[in-house]
Amino acid sequence: MDIGYLGAFLGGLLSLLSPCSAMLLPAFFAYAFSRPALLVARTGVFYLGLVTTLVPLGVFAATAGAFLSQQRGTLLTVVAIVVIVFGNRTLVGRLPVLAELVISENTKSHKRYA
C-alpha cells in the first residue's frame, strides 16, 4: 500500500495532535519563538530530532508486524499449545517444574536449620 508523500505529511500533522507530541509543543514554541530569526532553524532541528527517534521505531514496528503476520499460523499454534498445557496443569493442580523448585527450596531451608 503506497500512501505517497501527501498521505505521509498529513499523517505527520495528525500525529502532532496526539497526547505525546502535544506535550512537547509548548516547550518547543517557548524555545523557538524567543528569537524569530532562528525559528526555521530551530523548527528543523526539532523535526530532525523527532524523525531520528520515531522513524526507527516505526521501521522496527513494521518489520516486527510483517514477521508476525507471516508467521501467524506458527505463532497461533505455539501459543495454543502453551495455553492448553498450562490449562491441563492447572486442572491437575500443579506445575511439576514449580513444584520441584518449591521442594528444592524447602529442602535447602531445612538442611540449613538442621
Side-chain angles (χ1 to χ4, degrees), residues 43-53:
T43 302
V45 170
F46 177 76
Y47 283 109
L48 186 62
L50 285 178
V51 165
T52 57
T53 55

Side-chain angles (χ1 to χ4, degrees), residues 3 8 28-30 43 47 53 72 78 95 106:
I3 61 170
F28 168 70
F29 288 141
T43 302
Y47 283 109
T53 55
R72 186 171 189 258
V78 169
L95 289 171
N106 287 338

